[in-house]
Amino acid sequence: MSTIRLKRGVKLRHLKPQIVLAVVAAHAVRPTGDTWITSAADGHHAARSLHYTGNAVDLRIRDLNSAEVSEWAYLIKEMLGEDFDVVVEPDHIHLEYDTKDTRREMDFAAADSRLA
Ligand SMILES: [Zn+2]
């Protein structure tokens, strides 16, 4: 039986229910193996990354071949629709919930960190 797993050190702080749903849905269509979340609100991402507000996760792909990665990314995108972005990176799939609201939330978070 395959399952959803967390890489050690992954911080789920602020993780949004939309992303939880997206990961569950992504796992359901994974070609084979476990779905590993390798990054959420942790790690080093672009300054305005949706990771920091809990609207993005990275999913491990190192156990899949390139055809499987492409198929998986396609199926995730098909299932989740236009509010989600699915980006195949060299060593992971970046999955984010990207709407006007989540972009606005990130602007507020960025403003907060400037004041801190
Ligand atoms: Zn990412």
Side-chain angles (χ1 to χ4, degrees):
M1 186 192 76
S2 63
T3 190
I4 297 168
R5 307 185 67 178
L6 288 178
K7 183 181 172 184
R8 185 185 299 269
V10 167
K11 298 284 186 289
L12 298 178
R13 188 165 165 257
H14 305 311
L15 196 68
K16 295 298 190 297
Q18 290 88 346
I19 285 294
V20 176
L21 175 66
V23 171
V24 171
H27 179 61
V29 295
R30 198 177 202 275
T32 183
D34 291 339
T35 296
W36 281 85
I37 298 173
T38 58
S39 183
D42 49 271
H44 299 284
H45 305 284
R48 298 173 61 76
S49 168
L50 289 172
H51 276 281
Y52 298 122
T53 52
N55 288 297
V57 290
D58 294 336
L59 304 176
R60 180 174 290 168
I61 56 174
R62 71 184 182 196
D63 60 315
L64 300 177
N65 64 40
S66 61
E68 290 170 331
V69 171
S70 299
E71 179 193 3
W72 194 26
Y74 173 80
L75 291 172
I76 295 169
K77 180 65 183 168
E78 276 294 294
M79 192 167 40
L80 294 175
E82 64 183 12
D83 284 349
F84 290 84
D85 292 333
V86 181
V87 183
V88 176
E89 301 282 2
D91 64 351
H92 64 274
I93 286 177
H94 172 88
L95 173 57
E96 70 179 27
Y97 182 56
D98 185 3
T99 68
K100 211 165 39 166
D101 287 342
T102 56
R103 286 286 161 192
R104 187 179 307 124
E105 178 186 14
M106 192 185 50
D107 290 341
F108 287 135
D112 280 351
S113 67
R114 280 196 299 270
L115 293 173

